[in-house]
Coordinates of all heavy atoms in Angstrom, one line a residue:
L41 N 60.2 -40.7 -90.0 CA 61.2 -41.7 -90.5 C 62.5 -41.0 -90.6 O 62.6 -39.9 -91.2 CB 60.8 -42.5 -91.5 CG 59.4 -43.1 -91.5 CD1 59.1 -43.8 -92.9 CD2 59.4 -44.2 -90.4
D42 N 63.7 -41.6 -90.5 CA 65.0 -41.2 -90.8 C 65.4 -41.8 -92.2 O 64.8 -42.9 -92.6 CB 66.0 -41.6 -89.7 CG 67.2 -40.7 -89.5 OD1 67.5 -40.0 -90.6 OD2 67.7 -40.7 -88.6
A43 N 66.4 -41.1 -92.9 CA 66.9 -41.6 -94.1 C 68.0 -42.6 -93.8 O 69.1 -42.2 -94.1 CB 67.4 -40.4 -94.9
D44 N 67.7 -43.7 -93.5 CA 68.7 -44.8 -93.2 C 68.3 -46.1 -93.8 O 67.3 -46.1 -94.6 CB 68.9 -44.9 -91.6 CG 67.8 -45.3 -90.9 OD1 66.7 -45.8 -91.5 OD2 67.7 -45.0 -89.7
A45 N 68.9 -47.2 -93.5 CA 68.8 -48.5 -94.1 C 67.3 -49.1 -93.7 O 67.0 -49.9 -94.5 CB 69.8 -49.4 -93.6
Q46 N 66.7 -48.4 -92.8 CA 65.3 -48.9 -92.4 C 64.2 -48.3 -93.2 O 63.1 -48.6 -93.1 CB 65.1 -48.6 -90.8 CG 65.9 -49.4 -89.9 CD 65.8 -51.0 -90.3 OE1 64.7 -51.6 -90.4 NE2 67.0 -51.5 -90.5
L47 N 64.6 -47.2 -93.9 CA 63.6 -46.4 -94.6 C 62.7 -47.2 -95.7 O 61.5 -47.1 -95.5 CB 64.4 -45.2 -95.3 CG 63.2 -44.3 -96.0 CD1 62.3 -43.6 -95.1 CD2 64.0 -43.1 -96.7
L48 N 63.4 -47.9 -96.4 CA 62.6 -48.5 -97.4 C 61.6 -49.5 -96.9 O 60.4 -49.6 -97.3 CB 63.5 -49.2 -98.6 CG 63.7 -48.2 -99.8 CD1 64.1 -46.7 -99.3 CD2 64.5 -48.7 -100.7
P49 N 62.0 -50.5 -96.1 CA 61.1 -51.4 -95.3 C 60.0 -50.7 -94.6 O 58.9 -51.0 -94.7 CB 62.0 -52.3 -94.5 CG 63.3 -51.8 -94.5 CD 63.6 -50.8 -95.6
R50 N 60.5 -49.6 -94.0 CA 59.4 -48.8 -93.2 C 58.3 -48.2 -94.1 O 57.1 -48.1 -93.9 CB 60.1 -47.6 -92.3 CG 60.8 -48.2 -91.1 CD 59.9 -48.9 -90.1 NE 58.8 -48.2 -89.6 CZ 58.7 -47.3 -88.6 NH1 59.8 -47.0 -88.0 NH2 57.6 -46.7 -88.3
L51 N 58.9 -47.6 -95.2 CA 57.9 -46.9 -96.1 C 56.9 -48.1 -96.7 O 55.7 -47.9 -96.9 CB 58.6 -46.3 -97.3 CG 59.2 -44.9 -96.9 CD1 60.1 -44.5 -98.1 CD2 58.2 -43.9 -96.5
A52 N 57.6 -49.3 -96.9 CA 56.7 -50.3 -97.4 C 55.6 -50.7 -96.5 O 54.4 -51.0 -96.8 CB 57.5 -51.5 -97.9
Q53 N 56.1 -50.8 -95.2 CA 55.0 -51.2 -94.1 C 54.0 -50.0 -93.8 O 52.8 -50.4 -93.6 CB 55.9 -51.2 -92.9 CG 55.3 -51.8 -91.6 CD 56.5 -51.8 -90.4 OE1 57.5 -51.3 -90.7 NE2 56.0 -52.2 -89.3
E54 N 54.4 -48.7 -93.9 CA 53.5 -47.8 -93.6 C 52.6 -47.3 -94.7 O 51.5 -46.7 -94.6 CB 54.3 -46.5 -93.2 CG 55.2 -46.6 -91.9 CD 54.4 -46.7 -90.7 OE1 53.2 -46.4 -90.7 OE2 55.0 -47.2 -89.6
A55 N 53.1 -47.6 -96.0 CA 52.3 -47.2 -97.2 C 51.7 -45.8 -97.1 O 50.4 -45.7 -97.1 CB 51.3 -48.2 -97.4
P56 N 52.5 -44.8 -96.9 CA 51.9 -43.4 -96.7 C 51.3 -42.8 -98.0 O 51.6 -43.3 -99.1 CB 53.2 -42.6 -96.4 CG 54.4 -43.4 -97.0 CD 54.0 -44.7 -96.8
D57 N 50.4 -41.9 -97.8 CA 49.7 -41.4 -99.1 C 50.7 -40.4 -99.7 O 50.7 -40.1 -100.9 CB 48.4 -40.6 -98.6 CG 47.4 -41.6 -98.1 OD1 47.1 -42.7 -98.8 OD2 46.8 -41.3 -97.0
V58 N 51.5 -39.8 -98.9 CA 52.5 -38.8 -99.3 C 53.8 -38.8 -98.3 O 53.5 -39.0 -97.2 CB 51.9 -37.4 -99.5 CG1 51.3 -36.9 -98.1 CG2 52.8 -36.4 -100.1
V59 N 54.8 -38.5 -98.9 CA 56.0 -38.5 -98.0 C 56.5 -37.1 -98.2 O 56.6 -36.3 -99.2 CB 57.2 -39.3 -98.8 CG1 58.5 -39.3 -98.0 CG2 56.7 -40.8 -98.8
W60 N 57.0 -36.6 -97.0 CA 57.5 -35.1 -97.0 C 59.0 -35.1 -96.5 O 59.3 -35.4 -95.4 CB 56.7 -34.3 -96.0 CG 57.0 -32.8 -96.2 CD1 58.3 -32.3 -96.4 CD2 56.2 -31.6 -95.9 NE1 58.3 -30.9 -96.4 CE2 57.0 -30.4 -96.0 CE3 54.9 -31.6 -95.6 CZ2 56.5 -29.2 -95.9 CZ3 54.2 -30.2 -95.4 CH2 55.1 -29.1 -95.5
P61 N 59.9 -35.1 -97.5 CA 61.2 -35.1 -97.0 C 61.7 -33.7 -96.5 O 61.7 -32.7 -97.2 CB 62.2 -35.5 -98.5 CG 61.0 -35.7 -99.4 CD 59.8 -35.0 -99.0
V62 N 62.1 -33.7 -95.3 CA 62.7 -32.5 -94.7 C 64.1 -32.7 -94.3 O 64.5 -32.6 -93.3 CB 61.8 -32.2 -93.3 CG1 62.1 -30.8 -92.9 CG2 60.2 -32.3 -93.6
L63 N 64.8 -33.0 -95.4 CA 66.1 -33.4 -95.3 C 67.0 -32.3 -96.0 O 66.7 -32.0 -97.1 CB 66.5 -34.7 -95.9 CG 65.8 -36.0 -95.3 CD1 65.6 -37.1 -96.2 CD2 66.6 -36.3 -94.1
H64 N 68.0 -31.8 -95.2 CA 68.9 -30.8 -95.9 C 70.2 -31.5 -96.3 O 70.5 -32.5 -95.9 CB 69.1 -29.7 -94.8 CG 68.0 -29.2 -94.2 ND1 66.7 -28.9 -94.8 CD2 67.5 -29.0 -92.9 CE1 65.7 -28.6 -94.0 NE2 66.2 -28.5 -92.9
G65 N 70.9 -30.6 -97.1 CA 72.2 -31.2 -97.5 C 72.0 -32.2 -98.7 O 70.9 -32.3 -99.2
A66 N 73.1 -32.9 -99.1 CA 73.0 -33.7 -100.4 C 71.8 -34.7 -100.3 O 71.1 -34.9 -101.3 CB 74.3 -34.4 -100.6
V67 N 71.7 -35.3 -99.2 CA 70.7 -36.4 -99.1 C 69.2 -35.9 -99.4 O 68.4 -36.5 -100.0 CB 70.7 -37.2 -97.6 CG1 70.4 -36.1 -96.5 CG2 69.7 -38.3 -97.5
G68 N 69.0 -34.7 -98.9 CA 67.7 -34.2 -99.2 C 67.4 -33.4 -100.6 O 66.4 -33.2 -101.1
E69 N 68.6 -32.7 -101.0 CA 68.5 -31.8 -102.1 C 69.2 -32.1 -103.4 O 69.0 -31.6 -104.4 CB 69.1 -30.4 -101.5 CG 68.3 -30.0 -100.3 CD 68.7 -28.6 -99.8 OE1 68.3 -27.7 -100.4 OE2 69.6 -28.5 -98.8
D70 N 69.9 -33.3 -103.6 CA 70.4 -33.6 -104.8 C 69.6 -34.5 -105.6 O 70.1 -34.7 -106.7 CB 71.8 -34.4 -104.6 CG 71.8 -35.7 -104.0 OD1 70.7 -36.2 -103.8 OD2 72.8 -36.3 -103.8
G71 N 68.4 -34.9 -105.3 CA 67.4 -35.3 -106.0 C 67.4 -37.0 -105.9 O 66.5 -37.5 -106.2
A72 N 68.5 -37.5 -105.4 CA 68.6 -39.0 -105.3 C 67.4 -39.6 -104.6 O 66.8 -40.6 -105.1 CB 69.9 -39.5 -104.8
L73 N 67.1 -39.1 -103.4 CA 66.0 -39.7 -102.5 C 64.7 -39.7 -103.4 O 64.0 -40.5 -103.1 CB 66.1 -38.9 -101.3 CG 65.0 -39.4 -100.3 CD1 65.5 -40.6 -99.4 CD2 64.4 -38.3 -99.5
R74 N 64.6 -38.5 -104.0 CA 63.2 -38.4 -104.8 C 63.2 -39.4 -105.9 O 62.1 -39.9 -106.2 CB 63.1 -37.0 -105.2 CG 62.8 -36.1 -104.0 CD 63.4 -34.8 -104.3 NE 63.7 -34.0 -103.0 CZ 62.7 -33.3 -102.4 NH1 61.4 -33.3 -102.9 NH2 62.9 -32.7 -101.2
D75 N 64.4 -39.7 -106.5 CA 64.4 -40.8 -107.5 C 63.9 -42.2 -106.9 O 63.1 -42.9 -107.5 CB 65.8 -41.0 -108.1 CG 66.1 -40.2 -109.4 OD1 65.0 -40.1 -110.2 OD2 67.1 -39.7 -109.7
V76 N 64.4 -42.3 -105.7 CA 64.0 -43.5 -105.0 C 62.5 -43.7 -104.7 O 61.9 -44.6 -104.9 CB 65.0 -43.8 -103.7 CG1 64.4 -45.0 -102.9 CG2 66.4 -44.0 -104.1
L77 N 62.0 -42.5 -104.2 CA 60.6 -42.4 -103.9 C 59.8 -42.7 -105.1 O 58.7 -43.3 -105.0 CB 60.3 -41.1 -103.3 CG 60.9 -40.8 -101.7 CD1 60.5 -39.3 -101.4 CD2 60.4 -41.8 -100.9
E78 N 60.3 -42.1 -106.3 CA 59.4 -42.4 -107.5 C 59.6 -43.8 -107.9 O 58.6 -44.5 -108.3 CB 60.0 -41.6 -108.7 CG 59.7 -40.1 -108.3 CD 59.9 -39.1 -109.5 OE1 60.4 -39.7 -110.7 OE2 59.7 -37.9 -109.4
L79 N 60.8 -44.5 -107.6 CA 60.8 -45.9 -107.9 C 59.8 -46.8 -107.1 O 59.4 -47.8 -107.5 CB 62.4 -46.4 -107.7 CG 63.3 -45.9 -108.6 CD1 64.8 -46.3 -108.1 CD2 63.1 -46.5 -110.0
L80 N 59.6 -46.3 -105.9 CA 58.6 -47.0 -104.8 C 57.1 -46.5 -105.3 O 56.3 -47.1 -104.7 CB 58.9 -46.6 -103.5 CG 60.4 -46.9 -103.0 CD1 60.6 -46.4 -101.6 CD2 60.6 -48.4 -103.1
G81 N 56.9 -45.7 -106.2 CA 55.6 -45.3 -106.6 C 55.0 -44.4 -105.6 O 53.7 -44.4 -105.4
L82 N 55.8 -43.6 -104.9 CA 55.2 -42.8 -103.8 C 55.1 -41.3 -104.2 O 55.9 -40.8 -105.0 CB 56.1 -42.9 -102.6 CG 56.1 -44.3 -101.8 CD1 57.2 -44.3 -100.9 CD2 54.6 -44.4 -101.1
R83 N 54.1 -40.7 -103.8 CA 54.0 -39.2 -104.0 C 54.8 -38.6 -102.9 O 54.8 -39.1 -101.8 CB 52.5 -38.7 -103.6 CG 51.6 -39.0 -104.9 CD 50.3 -38.2 -104.6 NE 49.3 -38.5 -105.7 CZ 48.7 -39.5 -105.8 NH1 48.7 -40.5 -105.0 NH2 47.9 -39.7 -106.9
Y84 N 55.3 -37.5 -103.2 CA 56.1 -36.6 -102.1 C 56.0 -35.2 -102.3 O 55.6 -34.7 -103.4 CB 57.6 -37.1 -102.3 CG 58.2 -37.0 -103.6 CD1 58.9 -35.7 -104.0 CD2 58.2 -38.0 -104.6 CE1 59.3 -35.6 -105.1 CE2 58.7 -37.9 -105.8 CZ 59.3 -36.5 -106.0 OH 59.9 -36.6 -107.3
V85 N 56.3 -34.5 -101.2 CA 56.3 -33.1 -101.3 C 57.6 -32.5 -101.8 O 58.7 -32.9 -101.4 CB 56.1 -32.4 -99.8 CG1 56.4 -30.9 -99.8 CG2 54.7 -32.8 -99.3
G86 N 57.6 -31.5 -102.8 CA 58.8 -31.0 -103.3 C 59.2 -31.3 -104.7 O 58.4 -32.0 -105.3
P87 N 60.3 -30.7 -105.1 CA 60.5 -30.8 -106.6 C 60.9 -32.3 -107.0 O 61.2 -33.1 -106.2 CB 61.8 -30.0 -106.8 CG 61.9 -29.2 -105.5 CD 61.3 -29.9 -104.5
R88 N 60.7 -32.5 -108.3 CA 61.1 -33.8 -108.9 C 62.7 -33.7 -109.0 O 63.3 -32.8 -108.8 CB 60.5 -33.9 -110.2 CG 59.0 -34.0 -110.1 CD 58.3 -34.9 -111.1 NE 59.0 -36.0 -111.4 CZ 59.1 -36.5 -112.7 NH1 58.4 -35.9 -113.7 NH2 59.7 -37.7 -112.9
P89 N 63.3 -35.1 -109.2 CA 64.6 -35.2 -109.0 C 65.5 -34.3 -110.0 O 66.5 -33.6 -109.6 CB 64.9 -36.7 -109.5 CG 63.6 -37.3 -109.0 CD 62.5 -36.3 -109.4
A90 N 65.1 -34.1 -111.2 CA 65.8 -33.3 -112.1 C 65.9 -31.8 -111.7 O 66.8 -31.2 -111.8 CB 65.3 -33.4 -113.6
A91 N 64.9 -31.3 -111.1 CA 64.8 -30.0 -110.7 C 65.7 -29.9 -109.5 O 66.3 -28.7 -109.3 CB 63.3 -29.6 -110.2
C92 N 65.8 -30.8 -108.7 CA 66.7 -30.8 -107.5 C 68.0 -30.8 -108.0 O 68.8 -30.0 -107.5 CB 66.4 -32.1 -106.6 SG 64.9 -32.0 -105.6
R93 N 68.4 -31.6 -109.0 CA 69.8 -31.6 -109.5 C 70.2 -30.2 -110.0 O 71.3 -29.7 -109.9 CB 69.9 -32.7 -110.5 CG 69.9 -34.1 -110.0 CD 70.3 -35.1 -111.0 NE 69.3 -35.3 -112.0 CZ 68.4 -36.2 -111.9 NH1 68.2 -36.9 -110.8 NH2 67.5 -36.4 -112.8
L94 N 69.2 -29.6 -110.7 CA 69.5 -28.2 -111.2 C 69.8 -27.2 -110.0 O 70.7 -26.3 -110.1 CB 68.4 -27.7 -112.1 CG 68.0 -28.3 -113.5 CD1 67.0 -27.6 -114.1 CD2 69.2 -28.2 -114.4
A95 N 69.0 -27.3 -109.0 CA 69.1 -26.3 -108.0 C 70.3 -26.6 -107.1 O 70.9 -25.6 -106.5 CB 67.8 -26.4 -107.1
W96 N 70.6 -27.9 -106.9 CA 71.7 -28.3 -106.0 C 73.1 -27.8 -106.5 O 73.9 -27.5 -105.7 CB 71.6 -29.8 -105.9 CG 72.7 -30.3 -105.1 CD1 73.5 -31.3 -105.3 CD2 72.9 -30.1 -103.7 NE1 74.3 -31.8 -104.3 CE2 73.9 -30.9 -103.2 CE3 72.3 -29.2 -102.7 CZ2 74.5 -30.9 -101.8 CZ3 72.9 -29.3 -101.4 CH2 73.9 -30.1 -101.0
D97 N 73.2 -27.7 -107.7 CA 74.5 -27.3 -108.4 C 74.3 -25.8 -108.6 O 73.7 -25.3 -109.5 CB 74.8 -28.0 -109.7 CG 76.2 -27.7 -110.2 OD1 76.5 -26.3 -110.2 OD2 77.0 -28.5 -110.5
K98 N 75.1 -25.0 -107.8 CA 74.8 -23.5 -107.8 C 75.2 -22.9 -109.2 O 74.5 -22.0 -109.5 CB 75.6 -22.9 -106.6 CG 75.0 -23.1 -105.4 CD 75.9 -22.6 -104.2 CE 75.1 -22.9 -102.9 NZ 76.0 -22.8 -101.7
A99 N 76.2 -23.4 -109.9 CA 76.6 -22.8 -111.1 C 75.5 -23.2 -112.1 O 75.1 -22.3 -113.1 CB 78.0 -23.3 -111.5
V100 N 75.0 -24.4 -112.1 CA 73.8 -24.8 -113.1 C 72.6 -23.9 -112.9 O 72.0 -23.5 -113.8 CB 73.6 -26.3 -113.0 CG1 72.5 -26.7 -113.8 CG2 75.0 -27.1 -113.4
A101 N 72.3 -23.8 -111.5 CA 71.2 -23.1 -111.2 C 71.3 -21.7 -111.7 O 70.4 -21.0 -112.2 CB 71.0 -23.1 -109.6
A102 N 72.4 -21.1 -111.6 CA 72.6 -19.6 -111.9 C 72.5 -19.6 -113.4 O 72.0 -18.6 -113.9 CB 74.0 -19.2 -111.4
A103 N 72.9 -20.5 -114.1 CA 72.8 -20.4 -115.7 C 71.5 -20.5 -116.0 O 71.0 -19.8 -116.9 CB 73.6 -21.6 -116.2
V104 N 70.8 -21.4 -115.4 CA 69.2 -21.6 -115.8 C 68.5 -20.3 -115.3 O 67.7 -19.8 -116.2 CB 68.6 -22.8 -115.0 CG1 67.2 -22.8 -115.2 CG2 69.3 -24.1 -115.7
V105 N 68.8 -19.8 -114.2 CA 67.9 -18.6 -113.7 C 68.3 -17.3 -114.5 O 67.5 -16.5 -114.8 CB 68.3 -18.4 -112.1 CG1 67.5 -17.2 -111.7 CG2 67.6 -19.7 -111.4
A106 N 69.6 -17.2 -114.8 CA 70.1 -16.0 -115.7 C 69.4 -16.1 -117.1 O 69.0 -15.0 -117.6 CB 71.6 -16.0 -115.8
A107 N 69.3 -17.3 -117.7 CA 68.6 -17.5 -118.9 C 67.2 -17.0 -119.0 O 66.5 -16.7 -119.8 CB 68.7 -18.9 -119.4
A108 N 66.6 -17.2 -117.7 CA 65.2 -16.7 -117.5 C 65.1 -15.3 -117.1 O 64.0 -14.7 -116.9 CB 64.5 -17.5 -116.4
G109 N 66.1 -14.5 -117.1 CA 66.2 -13.1 -117.2 C 66.5 -12.5 -115.7 O 66.3 -11.3 -115.5
V110 N 66.9 -13.4 -114.8 CA 67.0 -12.7 -113.4 C 68.6 -12.6 -113.3 O 69.4 -13.3 -113.8 CB 66.8 -13.8 -112.3 CG1 67.1 -13.2 -111.0 CG2 65.3 -14.0 -112.4
A111 N 69.0 -11.4 -112.7 CA 70.5 -11.1 -112.5 C 71.2 -12.2 -111.6 O 70.5 -12.7 -110.7 CB 70.8 -9.7 -112.0
V112 N 72.3 -12.5 -111.9 CA 73.2 -13.4 -111.0 C 74.5 -12.8 -110.9 O 75.0 -11.8 -111.6 CB 73.3 -14.9 -111.7 CG1 72.1 -15.5 -111.9 CG2 74.1 -14.7 -113.1
P113 N 75.4 -13.2 -109.8 CA 76.6 -12.5 -109.5 C 77.6 -12.6 -110.7 O 78.4 -11.7 -110.9 CB 77.1 -13.3 -108.3 CG 76.0 -13.9 -107.7 CD 75.1 -14.3 -108.8
G114 N 77.6 -13.8 -111.5 CA 78.7 -14.0 -112.4 C 79.7 -14.8 -111.7 O 80.0 -14.5 -110.6
E115 N 80.1 -15.8 -112.3 CA 81.0 -16.7 -111.7 C 81.9 -17.5 -112.7 O 81.5 -17.6 -113.8 CB 80.4 -17.7 -110.7 CG 79.4 -18.7 -111.6 CD 78.2 -19.0 -110.8 OE1 78.1 -18.7 -109.6 OE2 77.2 -19.3 -111.4
V116 N 83.1 -18.0 -112.3 CA 83.8 -19.0 -113.0 C 83.8 -20.3 -112.2 O 83.7 -20.2 -111.0 CB 85.2 -18.6 -113.4 CG1 85.1 -17.5 -114.5 CG2 85.9 -18.1 -112.2
V117 N 83.7 -21.5 -112.8 CA 83.6 -22.7 -112.2 C 84.9 -23.5 -112.3 O 85.3 -23.8 -113.5 CB 82.5 -23.6 -112.8 CG1 82.3 -24.9 -112.1 CG2 81.1 -22.7 -112.9
L118 N 85.5 -23.8 -111.1 CA 87.0 -24.3 -111.3 C 87.1 -25.6 -110.5 O 87.1 -25.7 -109.2 CB 87.9 -23.3 -110.6 CG 87.9 -21.8 -111.4 CD1 88.7 -20.9 -110.6 CD2 88.5 -22.1 -112.8
P119 N 86.9 -26.7 -111.3 CA 87.1 -28.0 -110.6 C 88.5 -28.0 -110.0 O 89.5 -27.5 -110.6 CB 86.9 -29.0 -111.6 CG 86.3 -28.3 -112.8 CD 86.6 -26.9 -112.7
H120 N 88.8 -29.0 -109.0 CA 90.1 -29.0 -108.4 C 91.2 -29.4 -109.5 O 92.4 -28.9 -109.4 CB 90.0 -30.1 -107.2 CG 91.1 -30.0 -106.4 ND1 92.2 -31.1 -106.4 CD2 91.7 -29.1 -105.6 CE1 93.1 -30.9 -105.5 NE2 92.9 -29.6 -105.0
A121 N 90.7 -30.3 -110.4 CA 91.6 -30.7 -111.4 C 92.2 -29.7 -112.2 O 93.4 -29.9 -112.6 CB 90.9 -31.9 -112.3
T122 N 91.5 -28.6 -112.5 CA 92.0 -27.4 -113.3 C 93.0 -26.7 -112.5 O 94.1 -26.4 -113.0 CB 90.8 -26.5 -113.4 OG1 89.6 -27.1 -114.0 CG2 91.2 -25.3 -114.4
F123 N 93.0 -26.7 -111.2 CA 94.0 -26.1 -110.4 C 95.3 -26.9 -110.4 O 96.4 -26.4 -110.7 CB 93.6 -25.9 -109.0 CG 92.7 -24.8 -108.7 CD1 91.3 -24.9 -109.0 CD2 93.1 -23.6 -108.3 CE1 90.4 -23.9 -108.8 CE2 92.2 -22.6 -108.0 CZ 90.9 -22.7 -108.3
R124 N 95.1 -28.2 -110.3 CA 96.2 -29.2 -110.3 C 96.9 -29.2 -111.7 O 98.1 -29.1 -111.8 CB 95.7 -30.5 -110.0 CG 96.7 -31.6 -109.6 CD 96.1 -32.9 -109.6 NE 95.4 -33.2 -110.9 CZ 94.3 -33.9 -111.0 NH1 93.6 -34.4 -110.0 NH2 93.6 -34.0 -112.2

Side-chain angles (χ1 to χ4, degrees):
L41 305 175
D42 207 332
D44 57 19
Q46 292 310 306
L47 178 61
L48 268 52
R50 288 298 307 276
L51 285 172
Q53 187 186 359
E54 300 288 345
D57 299 308
V58 63
V59 178
W60 188 328
V62 192
L63 293 157
H64 311 313
V67 59
E69 300 188 76
D70 70 3
L73 178 84
R74 292 149 198 279
D75 263 325
V76 173
L77 294 174
E78 292 191 1
L79 291 173
L80 301 178
L82 291 166
R83 282 191 177 78
Y84 54 89
V85 169
R88 297 214 37 222
C92 289
R93 289 191 286 272
L94 289 183
W96 178 237
D97 186 309
K98 287 176 179 161
V100 174
V104 170
V105 170
V110 177
V112 297
E115 64 219 344
V116 288
V117 183
L118 300 168
H120 193 251
T122 307
F123 285 83
R124 194 192 51 219

